[in-house]
Amino acid sequence: MAETIYIVDPLPDERRRIVDALANEPVHVEWYDDAAEFLDQVAATASGCVLVPLDLPGIGLRALMDEINRRHLPLAVIVIGRDSELAIAVELVRFGAFDFLEHPFTDRRLRSVIRRAIGAVSE
């Protein structure tokens, strides 16, 4: 069974770029406009990884991560941001994010980080 990659991002172009980069990967991709929609619809048995921008609007990234942890969902969170946000990224990894993917990133780097995240969750 294919692992699921959840994209939580309000920007359709960014979601499409990620979906296109994963087109040949053996994964199932779901996308959501915001964290509240994702949390309303994600199954209690969800696993895989979540790709989310650092500047997630709405309830925000930390609240999303808190809720994923509270529900004990085996989801690796990969945060996407800019290199100028590196100090924040370090704090988020300490808080439980799996990794920080710096913009601009290549499709190859995206796939590599997702594979490592899925491997970590599957162990």
Side-chain angles (χ1 to χ4, degrees), residues 1-64:
M1 182 169 141
E3 288 289 341
T4 302
I5 309 305
Y6 302 94
I7 304 167
V8 181
D9 196 316
L11 302 174
D13 289 343
E14 188 66 17
R15 290 191 312 253
R16 175 57 43 203
R17 179 184 185 272
I18 295 169
V19 168
D20 290 348
L22 299 173
N24 295 321
E25 294 294 310
V27 296
H28 172 74
V29 179
E30 295 182 16
W31 60 86
Y32 302 88
D33 290 331
D34 58 53
E37 179 187 15
F38 168 73
L39 291 170
D40 285 346
Q41 295 181 24
V42 69
T45 58
S47 67
C49 71
V50 180
L51 294 168
V52 60
L54 178 62
D55 59 350
L56 183 68
I59 68 168
L61 178 57
R62 287 205 179 175
L64 172 63

Side-chain angles (χ1 to χ4, degrees), residues 7-121:
I7 304 167
V8 181
D9 196 316
L11 302 174
D13 289 343
E14 188 66 17
R15 290 191 312 253
R16 175 57 43 203
R17 179 184 185 272
I18 295 169
V19 168
D20 290 348
L22 299 173
N24 295 321
E25 294 294 310
V27 296
H28 172 74
V29 179
E30 295 182 16
W31 60 86
Y32 302 88
D33 290 331
D34 58 53
E37 179 187 15
F38 168 73
L39 291 170
D40 285 346
Q41 295 181 24
V42 69
T45 58
S47 67
C49 71
V50 180
L51 294 168
V52 60
L54 178 62
D55 59 350
L56 183 68
I59 68 168
L61 178 57
R62 287 205 179 175
L64 172 63
M65 290 176 61
D66 280 343
E67 189 60 20
I68 288 171
N69 291 330
R70 189 188 71 72
R71 293 183 189 185
H72 303 288
L73 296 173
L75 294 169
V77 177
I78 299 171
V79 180
I80 300 171
R82 306 252 177 240
D83 63 348
S84 62
E85 300 162 326
L86 192 56
I88 297 167
V90 169
E91 182 180 337
L92 288 169
V93 170
R94 287 181 184 150
F95 189 66
F98 178 79
D99 205 342
F100 181 79
L101 191 57
E102 182 181 322
H103 264 296
F105 54 86
T106 64
D107 291 355
R108 184 178 191 179
R109 173 84 172 117
L110 172 69
R111 290 188 298 265
S112 173
V113 170
I114 287 173
R115 285 186 199 118
R116 285 188 307 107
I118 289 171
V121 171

